[in-house]
Amino acid sequence: FGGVVRIPVVVHVVWNTDAQNIPDEQVHSQIDVLNQDFRATNADRDIVPEPFSRLIADTRIEFALATTDPDGQPTSGITRTRADVTAFDSDDRVKSAATGGVDPWPADRYLNIWVCQLGGGLLGYAQFPGGPPETDGVVCLHTGFGTTGTASAPFDLGRTTTHEIGHYLNLFHIWGDDGTGCAGTDEVADTPNAGGPNFGVPSFPHVTCGNGPHGDLFYDYMDYTDDRGMVMFTGGQAARMAACLDGVRNSLGQ
Ligand code: ARG
Ligand code: ZN
Ligand code: CA
C-alpha cells in the first residue's frame, strides 16, 4: 500500500458475568492505543535508549471500528453476546455460536477481535495470515484489553492487542520461538537475534546470543514484557506487515 492503510475492526464482546460485558469506552481506548502504537505516536516510546531509537517505525497502519455491518447497516463496530462458557481457551470456541461464542464477520473485510474471559493465564492469541476464515482474527482477555474499565496492571495499556495484531499481520516473536536457543529467527533483519522471551520490565542491556553490546530489543511489541515495557515496532517488522497487507490480507485495506 502506498500511503496509510485503515483496517475496519469489529470487536465481539463475549461475556458471562456483567463485569466481562466491558463498556464501549474500554473498546474505544483500545482502538486509540492501536492507532498510537502502529503510527509510533505513543508517548512512552521515549523509554527506548539511543542505540535502538533509530529502529522505531511508523507502520502506517490504522484501525477504525466498522461503521457498516456485513448487511450494509450502520453499526457501532461492537457486538455483545452472552455466553454460558465461564472461561474460554485458545481452542477457538469463542469464535463460533455453535461452540458458545459468536461467529466472525467476513474475515476478508473486517479484522475480528473477540474479547472474553480466558483461562490458564492466557492474555490472548491470534491467527496468522492464510488460515481458515471462520477462525481468523485475534482473541483478547478482557482484563488485558484497552486502558480503562476492567483493564488491570501490568497488562492495562492495550499492548496485548497490539502484540496479537502483530501476529495477525505475520510477525513472529522476536526471539524466534526456539525456546532459549539462538537458532530461531523472526525473519526480520533489524531485530537483534535473541535467546528467549523477556518478562516484566527488564533493565538495558540484556545480552544474549552474542547480541552485545546493546542486547535484546525487549522494547518491541513482539517480546513478552509487561505492557509498559513494550513500545515499538521496527522498520523490518513494518515492512513485513506491509507485505502481508499487500498480499494475503490485501482485501482488508481501504
Ligand atoms: N502470550 C500472548 C502471545 O504470545 C500475549 C503476550 C502479550 N504481552 C503483553 N505484555 N501484553 O500471543
Ligand atoms: Zn505472541
Ligand atoms: Ca531477527
Side-chain angles (χ1 to χ4, degrees):
F1 56 94
V4 170
V5 70
R6 178 165 293 185
I7 298 178
V9 176
V10 55
V11 173
H12 304 289
V13 177
V14 182
W15 58 277
N16 176 259
T17 66
D18 287 340
Q20 295 160 11
N21 191 12
I22 60 167
D24 286 0
E25 181 196 25
Q26 188 173 346
V27 175
H28 295 145
S29 74
Q30 180 64 64
I31 301 295
D32 291 345
V33 167
L34 293 175
N35 285 317
Q36 288 164 202
D37 289 356
F38 280 78
R39 295 306 311 268
T41 59
N42 54 303
D44 57 1
R45 71 192 186 284
D46 68 2
I47 68 170
V48 177
E50 198 277 326
F52 284 146
S53 57
R54 66 181 175 81
L55 295 174
I56 298 175
D58 170 5
T59 71
R60 295 154 82 76
I61 300 166
E62 297 183 353
F63 301 84
L65 285 171
T67 54
T68 307
D69 76 10
D71 299 322
Q73 300 302 311
T75 176
S76 64
I78 301 172
T79 76
R80 295 182 181 278
T81 303
R82 196 199 163 278
D84 291 326
V85 179
T86 53
F88 288 93
D89 203 338
S90 57
D91 58 7
D92 291 331
R93 281 169 60 204
V94 72
K95 301 176 180 175
S96 169
T99 50
V102 60
D103 295 350
W105 288 7
D108 58 340
R109 289 190 284 140
Y110 302 94
L111 160 57
N112 285 271
I113 302 179
W114 289 266
V115 182
C116 61
Q117 183 65 288
L118 292 170
L122 183 63
L123 287 168
Y125 64 101
Q127 183 168 296
F128 279 85
E134 57 274 15
T135 50
D136 199 26
V138 314
V139 179
C140 195
L141 173 67
H142 71 95
T143 57
F145 191 77
T147 61
T148 61
T150 64
S152 349
F155 304 113
D156 58 344
L157 297 179
R159 264 62 195 257
T160 299
T161 308
T162 300
H163 175 110
E164 299 308 337
I165 293 175
H167 288 315
Y168 169 88
L169 295 174
N170 212 25
L171 297 186
F172 299 116
H173 295 132
I174 53 165
W175 66 92
D177 292 304
D178 62 335
T180 53
C182 297
T185 174
D186 61 358
E187 311 283 350
V188 171
D190 62 1
T191 56
N193 189 27
N198 289 280
F199 297 98
V201 183
S203 49
F204 175 82
H206 181 224
V207 175
T208 63
C209 298
N211 64 13
H214 306 316
D216 296 358
L217 187 68
F218 55 73
Y219 303 97
D220 195 277
Y221 296 122
M222 301 316 289
D223 205 330
Y224 266 3
T225 65
D226 287 349
D227 278 15
R228 70 184 174 88
M230 49 171 64
V231 298
M232 63 178 287
F233 288 117
T234 69
Q237 289 175 318
R240 199 173 157 83
M241 290 191 277
C244 175
L245 284 166
D246 284 336
V248 186
R249 293 204 184 278
N250 174 262
S251 59
L252 270 182
Q254 289 182 327

PDB file of all heavy atoms in Angstrom, residues 123-125 155 159-160 163-164 167 173 223-227 230, ligand 1:
ATOM      1  N   LEU A 123      -3.351 -14.385  27.913  1.00  0.00           N
ATOM      2  CA  LEU A 123      -3.699 -12.974  27.665  1.00  0.00           C
ATOM      3  C   LEU A 123      -4.404 -12.794  26.330  1.00  0.00           C
ATOM      4  O   LEU A 123      -5.228 -11.895  26.167  1.00  0.00           O
ATOM      5  CB  LEU A 123      -2.435 -12.114  27.666  1.00  0.00           C
ATOM      6  CG  LEU A 123      -1.770 -11.859  29.016  1.00  0.00           C
ATOM      7  CD1 LEU A 123      -0.389 -11.248  28.801  1.00  0.00           C
ATOM      8  CD2 LEU A 123      -2.639 -10.940  29.861  1.00  0.00           C
ATOM      9  N   GLY A 124      -4.024 -13.638  25.380  1.00  0.00           N
ATOM     10  CA  GLY A 124      -4.626 -13.510  24.057  1.00  0.00           C
ATOM     11  C   GLY A 124      -3.981 -14.484  23.096  1.00  0.00           C
ATOM     12  O   GLY A 124      -2.996 -15.147  23.428  1.00  0.00           O
ATOM     13  N   TYR A 125      -4.559 -14.601  21.899  1.00  0.00           N
ATOM     14  CA  TYR A 125      -3.940 -15.394  20.837  1.00  0.00           C
ATOM     15  C   TYR A 125      -4.458 -14.905  19.495  1.00  0.00           C
ATOM     16  O   TYR A 125      -5.475 -14.215  19.432  1.00  0.00           O
ATOM     17  CB  TYR A 125      -4.163 -16.906  21.024  1.00  0.00           C
ATOM     18  CG  TYR A 125      -5.593 -17.402  20.957  1.00  0.00           C
ATOM     19  CD1 TYR A 125      -6.081 -18.005  19.794  1.00  0.00           C
ATOM     20  CD2 TYR A 125      -6.450 -17.285  22.040  1.00  0.00           C
ATOM     21  CE1 TYR A 125      -7.385 -18.491  19.725  1.00  0.00           C
ATOM     22  CE2 TYR A 125      -7.750 -17.763  21.985  1.00  0.00           C
ATOM     23  CZ  TYR A 125      -8.216 -18.364  20.830  1.00  0.00           C
ATOM     24  OH  TYR A 125      -9.507 -18.831  20.765  1.00  0.00           O
ATOM     25  N   PHE A 155      -1.039  -5.368  32.562  1.00  0.00           N
ATOM     26  CA  PHE A 155      -1.435  -5.537  31.149  1.00  0.00           C
ATOM     27  C   PHE A 155      -2.578  -4.591  30.807  1.00  0.00           C
ATOM     28  O   PHE A 155      -3.536  -4.955  30.118  1.00  0.00           O
ATOM     29  CB  PHE A 155      -1.807  -7.005  30.888  1.00  0.00           C
ATOM     30  CG  PHE A 155      -0.698  -7.951  31.248  1.00  0.00           C
ATOM     31  CD1 PHE A 155      -0.831  -8.852  32.301  1.00  0.00           C
ATOM     32  CD2 PHE A 155       0.518  -7.907  30.568  1.00  0.00           C
ATOM     33  CE1 PHE A 155       0.207  -9.707  32.640  1.00  0.00           C
ATOM     34  CE2 PHE A 155       1.572  -8.752  30.903  1.00  0.00           C
ATOM     35  CZ  PHE A 155       1.420  -9.650  31.946  1.00  0.00           C
ATOM     36  N   ARG A 159      -1.438  -3.345  25.184  1.00  0.00           N
ATOM     37  CA  ARG A 159      -0.370  -3.906  24.342  1.00  0.00           C
ATOM     38  C   ARG A 159      -0.596  -5.360  23.964  1.00  0.00           C
ATOM     39  O   ARG A 159      -0.013  -5.842  22.977  1.00  0.00           O
ATOM     40  CB  ARG A 159       0.992  -3.724  25.029  1.00  0.00           C
ATOM     41  CG  ARG A 159       1.757  -2.483  24.554  1.00  0.00           C
ATOM     42  CD  ARG A 159       1.038  -1.195  24.849  1.00  0.00           C
ATOM     43  NE  ARG A 159       1.552  -0.045  24.137  1.00  0.00           N
ATOM     44  CZ  ARG A 159       2.334   0.904  24.680  1.00  0.00           C
ATOM     45  NH1 ARG A 159       2.690   0.830  25.939  1.00  0.00           N
ATOM     46  NH2 ARG A 159       2.710   1.942  23.946  1.00  0.00           N
ATOM     47  N   THR A 160      -1.440  -6.084  24.680  1.00  0.00           N
ATOM     48  CA  THR A 160      -1.725  -7.454  24.260  1.00  0.00           C
ATOM     49  C   THR A 160      -2.354  -7.444  22.864  1.00  0.00           C
ATOM     50  O   THR A 160      -1.953  -8.223  21.990  1.00  0.00           O
ATOM     51  CB  THR A 160      -2.667  -8.147  25.271  1.00  0.00           C
ATOM     52  OG1 THR A 160      -2.012  -8.175  26.544  1.00  0.00           O
ATOM     53  CG2 THR A 160      -3.006  -9.558  24.828  1.00  0.00           C
ATOM     54  N   HIS A 163       0.232  -6.636  20.238  1.00  0.00           N
ATOM     55  CA  HIS A 163       1.052  -7.833  20.021  1.00  0.00           C
ATOM     56  C   HIS A 163       0.303  -8.858  19.155  1.00  0.00           C
ATOM     57  O   HIS A 163       0.855  -9.380  18.172  1.00  0.00           O
ATOM     58  CB  HIS A 163       1.396  -8.420  21.405  1.00  0.00           C
ATOM     59  CG  HIS A 163       2.122  -9.715  21.410  1.00  0.00           C
ATOM     60  ND1 HIS A 163       3.447  -9.816  21.809  1.00  0.00           N
ATOM     61  CD2 HIS A 163       1.733 -10.986  21.111  1.00  0.00           C
ATOM     62  CE1 HIS A 163       3.821 -11.090  21.735  1.00  0.00           C
ATOM     63  NE2 HIS A 163       2.802 -11.818  21.323  1.00  0.00           N
ATOM     64  N   GLU A 164      -0.943  -9.130  19.485  1.00  0.00           N
ATOM     65  CA  GLU A 164      -1.704 -10.147  18.736  1.00  0.00           C
ATOM     66  C   GLU A 164      -1.940  -9.709  17.290  1.00  0.00           C
ATOM     67  O   GLU A 164      -1.906 -10.533  16.373  1.00  0.00           O
ATOM     68  CB  GLU A 164      -3.044 -10.432  19.422  1.00  0.00           C
ATOM     69  CG  GLU A 164      -2.950 -10.972  20.850  1.00  0.00           C
ATOM     70  CD  GLU A 164      -2.048 -12.164  21.026  1.00  0.00           C
ATOM     71  OE1 GLU A 164      -1.793 -12.890  20.043  1.00  0.00           O
ATOM     72  OE2 GLU A 164      -1.565 -12.372  22.149  1.00  0.00           O
ATOM     73  N   HIS A 167       0.993 -10.575  15.231  1.00  0.00           N
ATOM     74  CA  HIS A 167       0.929 -11.960  14.717  1.00  0.00           C
ATOM     75  C   HIS A 167      -0.041 -12.058  13.536  1.00  0.00           C
ATOM     76  O   HIS A 167       0.258 -12.696  12.524  1.00  0.00           O
ATOM     77  CB  HIS A 167       0.446 -12.912  15.809  1.00  0.00           C
ATOM     78  CG  HIS A 167       1.414 -13.196  16.903  1.00  0.00           C
ATOM     79  ND1 HIS A 167       2.743 -13.485  16.696  1.00  0.00           N
ATOM     80  CD2 HIS A 167       1.238 -13.254  18.256  1.00  0.00           C
ATOM     81  CE1 HIS A 167       3.335 -13.712  17.859  1.00  0.00           C
ATOM     82  NE2 HIS A 167       2.448 -13.570  18.826  1.00  0.00           N
ATOM     83  N   HIS A 173       7.456 -13.842  17.210  1.00  0.00           N
ATOM     84  CA  HIS A 173       8.141 -13.313  18.397  1.00  0.00           C
ATOM     85  C   HIS A 173       9.606 -13.023  18.067  1.00  0.00           C
ATOM     86  O   HIS A 173      10.229 -13.758  17.300  1.00  0.00           O
ATOM     87  CB  HIS A 173       8.073 -14.330  19.545  1.00  0.00           C
ATOM     88  CG  HIS A 173       6.672 -14.574  20.033  1.00  0.00           C
ATOM     89  ND1 HIS A 173       6.159 -15.837  20.221  1.00  0.00           N
ATOM     90  CD2 HIS A 173       5.687 -13.698  20.373  1.00  0.00           C
ATOM     91  CE1 HIS A 173       4.901 -15.720  20.669  1.00  0.00           C
ATOM     92  NE2 HIS A 173       4.599 -14.434  20.762  1.00  0.00           N
ATOM     93  N   ASP A 223       7.919  -8.971  21.969  1.00  0.00           N
ATOM     94  CA  ASP A 223       8.520  -9.688  23.099  1.00  0.00           C
ATOM     95  C   ASP A 223       7.407  -9.961  24.117  1.00  0.00           C
ATOM     96  O   ASP A 223       6.219  -9.752  23.806  1.00  0.00           O
ATOM     97  CB  ASP A 223       9.678  -8.863  23.682  1.00  0.00           C
ATOM     98  CG  ASP A 223      10.711  -9.738  24.396  1.00  0.00           C
ATOM     99  OD1 ASP A 223      10.334 -10.812  24.937  1.00  0.00           O
ATOM    100  OD2 ASP A 223      11.890  -9.357  24.437  1.00  0.00           O
ATOM    101  N   TYR A 224       7.754 -10.404  25.320  1.00  0.00           N
ATOM    102  CA  TYR A 224       6.758 -10.793  26.338  1.00  0.00           C
ATOM    103  C   TYR A 224       6.844  -9.922  27.592  1.00  0.00           C
ATOM    104  O   TYR A 224       6.460 -10.367  28.665  1.00  0.00           O
ATOM    105  CB  TYR A 224       6.988 -12.253  26.743  1.00  0.00           C
ATOM    106  CG  TYR A 224       6.173 -13.279  25.998  1.00  0.00           C
ATOM    107  CD1 TYR A 224       5.315 -12.933  24.966  1.00  0.00           C
ATOM    108  CD2 TYR A 224       6.263 -14.630  26.349  1.00  0.00           C
ATOM    109  CE1 TYR A 224       4.584 -13.904  24.288  1.00  0.00           C
ATOM    110  CE2 TYR A 224       5.526 -15.603  25.692  1.00  0.00           C
ATOM    111  CZ  TYR A 224       4.692 -15.239  24.662  1.00  0.00           C
ATOM    112  OH  TYR A 224       3.968 -16.204  24.012  1.00  0.00           O
ATOM    113  N   THR A 225       7.321  -8.703  27.479  1.00  0.00           N
ATOM    114  CA  THR A 225       7.444  -7.865  28.680  1.00  0.00           C
ATOM    115  C   THR A 225       6.069  -7.358  29.123  1.00  0.00           C
ATOM    116  O   THR A 225       5.059  -7.546  28.447  1.00  0.00           O
ATOM    117  CB  THR A 225       8.358  -6.653  28.410  1.00  0.00           C
ATOM    118  OG1 THR A 225       7.727  -5.832  27.430  1.00  0.00           O
ATOM    119  CG2 THR A 225       9.727  -7.086  27.929  1.00  0.00           C
ATOM    120  N   ASP A 226       6.042  -6.681  30.280  1.00  0.00           N
ATOM    121  CA  ASP A 226       4.812  -6.019  30.718  1.00  0.00           C
ATOM    122  C   ASP A 226       4.451  -4.919  29.722  1.00  0.00           C
ATOM    123  O   ASP A 226       5.310  -4.406  29.003  1.00  0.00           O
ATOM    124  CB  ASP A 226       5.010  -5.378  32.106  1.00  0.00           C
ATOM    125  CG  ASP A 226       5.065  -6.421  33.216  1.00  0.00           C
ATOM    126  OD1 ASP A 226       4.742  -7.602  32.967  1.00  0.00           O
ATOM    127  OD2 ASP A 226       5.449  -6.034  34.340  1.00  0.00           O
ATOM    128  N   ASP A 227       3.186  -4.512  29.752  1.00  0.00           N
ATOM    129  CA  ASP A 227       2.718  -3.506  28.792  1.00  0.00           C
ATOM    130  C   ASP A 227       3.566  -2.238  28.796  1.00  0.00           C
ATOM    131  O   ASP A 227       3.851  -1.663  27.740  1.00  0.00           O
ATOM    132  CB  ASP A 227       1.250  -3.136  29.072  1.00  0.00           C
ATOM    133  CG  ASP A 227       0.280  -4.139  28.459  1.00  0.00           C
ATOM    134  OD1 ASP A 227       0.716  -5.245  28.080  1.00  0.00           O
ATOM    135  OD2 ASP A 227      -0.921  -3.802  28.370  1.00  0.00           O
ATOM    136  N   MET A 230       6.798  -2.517  26.531  1.00  0.00           N
ATOM    137  CA  MET A 230       6.790  -2.768  25.075  1.00  0.00           C
ATOM    138  C   MET A 230       6.219  -1.554  24.362  1.00  0.00           C
ATOM    139  O   MET A 230       5.061  -1.177  24.576  1.00  0.00           O
ATOM    140  CB  MET A 230       6.037  -4.054  24.725  1.00  0.00           C
ATOM    141  CG  MET A 230       4.679  -4.259  25.328  1.00  0.00           C
ATOM    142  SD  MET A 230       3.831  -5.694  24.588  1.00  0.00           S
ATOM    143  CE  MET A 230       4.879  -7.052  25.079  1.00  0.00           C
TER     144      MET A 230
HETATM  145  N1  ARG B   1       1.129 -14.504  25.398  1.00  0.00           N
HETATM  146  C1  ARG B   1       0.494 -13.814  24.333  1.00  0.00           C
HETATM  147  C2  ARG B   1       1.034 -14.266  22.962  1.00  0.00           C
HETATM  148  O1  ARG B   1       2.050 -14.926  22.840  1.00  0.00           O
HETATM  149  C3  ARG B   1       0.466 -12.302  24.507  1.00  0.00           C
HETATM  150  C4  ARG B   1       1.554 -11.605  25.215  1.00  0.00           C
HETATM  151  C5  ARG B   1       1.211 -10.123  25.385  1.00  0.00           C
HETATM  152  N2  ARG B   1       2.080  -9.434  26.318  1.00  0.00           N
HETATM  153  C6  ARG B   1       1.765  -8.271  26.945  1.00  0.00           C
HETATM  154  N3  ARG B   1       2.624  -7.684  27.720  1.00  0.00           N
HETATM  155  N4  ARG B   1       0.609  -7.702  26.815  1.00  0.00           N
HETATM  156  O2  ARG B   1       0.466 -14.006  21.918  1.00  0.00           O
END
